[in-house]
Amino acid sequence: AAMEAWLVRAAGRCTQRPVFPRRPAPRCAQSLARRRTFRPNDSSPSAAAAQGAAVAASKRLLKRVKQASQASEVAQLLDEAPEVVDSFVVSAAMTQYRRFGDPQRALALFDRARATGVENAHSRSAAIAAVVQLGDVQKTLDLVDEMQQRGLEPTIITYSALVLAAASCEKGAFRWEKALHLFDELRRRGLEPTIVTYNALISACDKGG
């Protein structure tokens, strides 16, 4: 019921305003959201070299996280090099945790990252997907509202999670109507649906009769 009420308020009917209205973010905010890693206070050659090394280390960690075969391996990788964990690594680790069936660990990582400012639209989208996986409706709504307030652009993960949430609503006709609304909105934004998006949409339509 809470999810239905929120989607009615946020999305309205299928022909009304989008869940995530388009609004340009300041360039500085976009830049900060892309990557939070080691940033030296000076532009000396040694500082630039140190920054380059940190970015390279972060990329190596990102690759290893994506190749991990279990949740405990992801956790170990993050613990081994906490100084190069940036927003991209956080997002990838959260996605892996969800894939391994451990959304609680994904949310714990998100809370730690948010507390230290290592956050972007991708990590928040991964958090939304994690709480949908847990079936926590209220936390889903809180994260989406907070994402809107921060002016963060939704990703395909955001929309896929919300389509899945719509599919879990109790009212049959409501499911497919809101799911289709979200699907139309993500396509208008130029986002490419994934197999997860299509499966959630099919589920919503099937349950809606």
Side-chain angles (χ1 to χ4, degrees), residues 177-197:
E177 180 182 319
K178 297 309 171 187
L180 286 174
H181 172 90
L182 289 160
F183 186 78
D184 287 342
E185 184 178 322
L186 74 89
R187 293 298 296 270
R188 287 196 300 271
R189 282 181 170 271
L191 297 173
E192 189 67 29
T194 66
I195 187 65
V196 175
T197 318

Side-chain angles (χ1 to χ4, degrees), residues 75-120:
Q76 182 177 350
L77 288 170
L78 299 183
D79 289 341
E80 287 175 355
E83 70 281 358
V84 295
V85 173
D86 64 6
S87 57
F88 292 103
V89 172
V90 168
S91 300
M94 291 176 65
T95 297
Q96 287 287 68
Y97 283 145
R98 290 192 299 104
R99 186 167 73 87
F100 297 136
D102 197 348
Q104 288 282 17
R105 185 173 276 180
L107 289 176
L109 175 59
F110 175 72
D111 288 338
R112 279 164 36 209
R114 181 167 52 174
T116 56
V118 184
E119 176 196 359
N120 63 6

Side-chain angles (χ1 to χ4, degrees), residues 12 59 64 111 117-118 142 149-150 156 162 183 186 198:
K59 289 181 177 179
R64 294 180 67 191
D111 288 338
V118 184
D142 291 343
Q149 292 167 10
R150 290 172 177 262
I156 188 59
L162 292 179
F183 186 78
L186 74 89
Y198 283 118

